[in-house]
Amino acid sequence: MGTNPLLKVDSIHAYYGNIHALHGISLHIDEGEIVTLIGSNGAGKTTIIRSISGIMHPREGSILLDGEPIHQVPAHALVSKGISQSPEGRRIFPRLTVLDNLEMGAFHRNDRPGIKADIEMVYGLFPRLKERTKQYAGTLSGGEQQMLAMGRALMARPRLLLLDEPSMGLAPVLVENIFEIIQRINKQGMTVLLVEQNALMALEVANRGYVLQSGRIVLADSAQNLIQNEMVRKVYLGEN
């Protein structure tokens, strides 16, 4: 590994119309890490993900992937550069089957044997999807749709996987399952940026974390230290 982080976000400012959503955000992600962003609703977590994935472009600052600037690259072109997103609210294709959805995740690839192998890999991670391979995605449960959204993102063979609220709306037993899978794919070498309302779960699987308030990073530390941090415990881990 070189000295460059896999992803470097440098002093970005992002706006929705006249609303200044991100105020000079800087962070980095090294290859093989799980990094989590923690903050309440409206803190800017999703805006950071949208800026990295090319859905939004920052007005100031830069985003580098392997030292190459990507902050003006459109979202569809970033997939082939190695950034894949499992978006908040899942956004699967409800009228396509599970298998079709997975194949859509590999739209920019043309290595049929590799795609086939990766579909089997996704079915290995999510056996429930295999049972429902011919089912329309819109008829799946919320948990299954979340698995499908993650599986579809993995089909792009990304170098950096962006997960936006993967546990949202899921039953606790499924949340545990999703986090186990995040750890498994990370152990296989996948770098992950995780945005998650469930701060404790996120910090338990992450290497490092950034705490956001009103579009600014107020704290950056190892996940272990953040779990011990008094402010984090009070505000995000629900301790009194």
Side-chain angles (χ1 to χ4, degrees), residues 21-22 25 38-46 212-216 236:
L22 298 180
I25 294 286
I38 288 166
S40 49
N41 278 337
K45 306 185 301 289
T46 293
L212 282 149
Q213 283 175 3
S214 321
R216 290 183 169 85
Y236 302 107

Side-chain angles (χ1 to χ4, degrees), residues 150-223:
M150 282 175 66
R152 190 182 65 191
L154 287 170
M155 287 301 299
R157 277 209 185 159
R159 300 187 56 205
L160 175 62
L161 178 65
L162 307 175
L163 294 178
D164 195 359
E165 303 288 2
S167 81
M168 191 187 266
L170 298 187
V173 52
L174 269 178
V175 173
E176 300 234 330
N177 188 295
I178 291 284
F179 275 93
E180 273 166 29
I181 287 163
I182 293 169
Q183 285 182 290
R184 273 173 68 185
I185 57 180
N186 174 250
K187 285 199 173 84
Q188 291 165 11
M190 180 76 63
T191 307
V192 179
L193 177 61
L194 173 64
V195 165
E196 176 54 60
Q197 217 47 62
N198 186 331
L200 183 60
M201 286 291 263
L203 288 170
E204 281 177 347
V205 301
N207 302 94
R208 292 186 302 112
Y210 293 90
V211 179
L212 282 149
Q213 283 175 3
S214 321
R216 290 183 169 85
I217 289 173
V218 293
L219 204 53
D221 211 332
S222 72

Side-chain angles (χ1 to χ4, degrees), residues 115-155:
I115 291 171
K116 229 177 141 160
D118 283 351
I119 287 170
E120 287 309 314
M121 178 269 296
V122 169
Y123 284 160
L125 288 170
F126 304 106
R128 212 176 295 189
L129 293 181
K130 185 167 190 169
E131 293 162 22
R132 289 161 176 63
T133 181
K134 298 219 175 341
Q135 206 169 310
Y136 290 113
T139 64
L140 299 176
S141 72
E144 289 158 357
Q145 290 187 14
Q146 182 58 59
M147 292 171 188
L148 182 56
M150 282 175 66
R152 190 182 65 191
L154 287 170
M155 287 301 299

